[in-house]
């Protein structure tokens, strides 16, 4: 495992959108950060208590961006929210995670399937892909309980409209007929719209329970387990039945 680098950062942005806190922080030393798009960092939530959060920015950007799900009944996330005040100082260690585009097979299309803040690492990768010229097809399925929880829907829609290789399908659990969304579970949308799953590299983002359930559905419908990537799988946190 690579050694983690510690940075002292200052919070520059903390906006709540659809139940998620979008945070930007700058390196106090005035330098950049060393990581690869798709990796995660450890944020010091209480003294010497570091918790993992995916990095939503990409290395060419000066700041680090995080997408933090706010949950009123979660004491850790409440502590995180209290830290995220503009001007506050926080400590982070980075970076870890192998769920990056380095895993991608050359010339194969990609499917990203995310639940809620599981979109954060894909935001980093997609930003990098759209700023270069995306020369393979990438399909993004992003699901949440309700439409307003898709906190960067407009940005992702604009990226997909500006790039013929990027295809975005928003997914919500409860019907909202005025929006152009798939109603159901996020992986159901992918299973319905993607044929020949074995031909794709598939990235999964979200909680361990969500990733485990989606992984099993995809494999039972022909996806190749060797080309399904997720931090939750790498960390052995998913309960996968044989
Ligand atoms: C590799 C990794 C990356 C993570 N990245 C994020 C992140 O970008 N944003 C975030 O809010 N939380 C993230 N988490 C979860 C976060 O670390 C925990 O929510 C926090 O440490 C509190 O722990 P908990 O056991 O109380 O909460 P948990 O019960 O673990 O999580 C609470 C909620 O956080 C969200 N969450 C959990 N795991 C992930 C994940 N891998 N990616 C995205 N969302 C997740 C879900 O909405 C979940 O319901 C990540 C966890 C891991 C292992």
């Amino acid at each position: 495992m690579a050694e983690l680098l510690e940075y002292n950062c200052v919070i520059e942005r903390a906006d709540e959108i659809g139940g998620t806190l979008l945070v930007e922080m700058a390196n106090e030393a005035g330098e950049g950060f060393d990581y690869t798009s798709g990796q995660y960092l450890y944020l010091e939530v209480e003294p010497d208590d570091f918790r993992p959060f995916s990095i939503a920015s990409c290395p060419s950007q000066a700041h680090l961006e995080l997408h933090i799900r706010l949950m009123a009944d979660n004491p850790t996330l409440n502590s995180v929210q209290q830290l995220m005040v503009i001007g506050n100082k926080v400590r982070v260690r980075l970076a870890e995670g192998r769920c990056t585009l380095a895993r991608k097979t050359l010339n194969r299309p990609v499917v990203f399937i995310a639940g809620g803040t599981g979109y954060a690492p894909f935001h980093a990768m997609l930003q990098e892909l759209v700023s270069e010229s995306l020369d393979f097809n990438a399909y993004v399925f992003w699901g949440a309980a309700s439409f307003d929880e898709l906190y960067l829907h407009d940005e992702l829609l604009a990226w997909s409209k500006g790039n013929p290789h990027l295809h975005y399908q928003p997914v919500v659990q409860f019907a909202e007929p005025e929006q152009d969304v798939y109603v159901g579970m996020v992986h159901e949308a992918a299973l319905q719209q993607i044929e020949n799953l074995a031909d794709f590299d598939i990235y999964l983002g979200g909680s361990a329970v969500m990733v485990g359930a989606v992984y099993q559905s995809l494999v039972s419908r022909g996806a190749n387990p060797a080309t399904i990537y997720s931090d939750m799988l790498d960390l052995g946190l998913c309960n996968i039945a044989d």
Side-chain angles (χ1 to χ4, degrees), residues 45-197:
V45 171
E46 301 281 354
D48 287 323
D49 178 2
F50 285 82
R51 301 298 182 111
F53 290 92
S54 295
I55 305 171
S57 46
C58 55
S60 60
Q61 294 177 287
H63 61 266
L64 287 175
E65 178 175 331
L66 304 182
H67 299 169
I68 296 165
R69 179 82 189 137
L70 297 175
M71 301 177 85
D73 54 356
N74 184 309
T76 305
L77 296 174
N78 284 338
S79 301
V80 173
Q81 188 176 9
Q82 279 165 26
L83 288 175
M84 298 304 163
V85 174
I86 292 171
N88 255 11
K89 294 182 179 176
V90 293
R91 215 151 50 122
V92 291
R93 292 178 180 159
L94 54 146
E96 248 172 32
R98 299 193 307 126
C99 193
T100 68
L101 289 168
R103 300 275 277 281
K104 186 188 160 327
T105 320
L106 219 59
N107 299 327
R108 267 159 64 99
V110 174
V111 178
F112 296 99
I113 301 177
T117 50
Y119 173 64
F122 304 156
H123 182 260
M125 293 188 233
L126 288 166
Q127 237 175 151
E128 198 166 292
L129 289 172
V130 297
S131 69
E132 298 162 5
S133 46
L134 179 57
D135 58 358
F136 55 86
N137 278 315
Y139 297 82
V140 184
F141 295 87
W142 188 17
S146 62
F147 185 75
D148 67 334
E149 290 177 39
L150 298 174
Y151 51 86
L152 287 175
H153 168 83
D154 290 346
E155 178 186 64
L156 189 43
L157 192 63
W159 286 351
S160 67
K161 284 187 173 159
N163 196 310
H165 292 290
L166 182 60
H167 313 275
Y168 166 44
Q169 177 61 67
V171 181
V172 297
Q173 280 172 33
F174 306 108
E176 292 177 61
E178 74 278 12
Q179 303 290 354
D180 182 19
V181 297
Y182 180 97
V183 178
M185 303 300 283
V186 67
H187 67 288
E188 291 168 357
L191 288 171
Q192 193 184 85
Q193 294 177 22
I194 302 282
E195 288 174 18
N196 305 325
L197 283 167

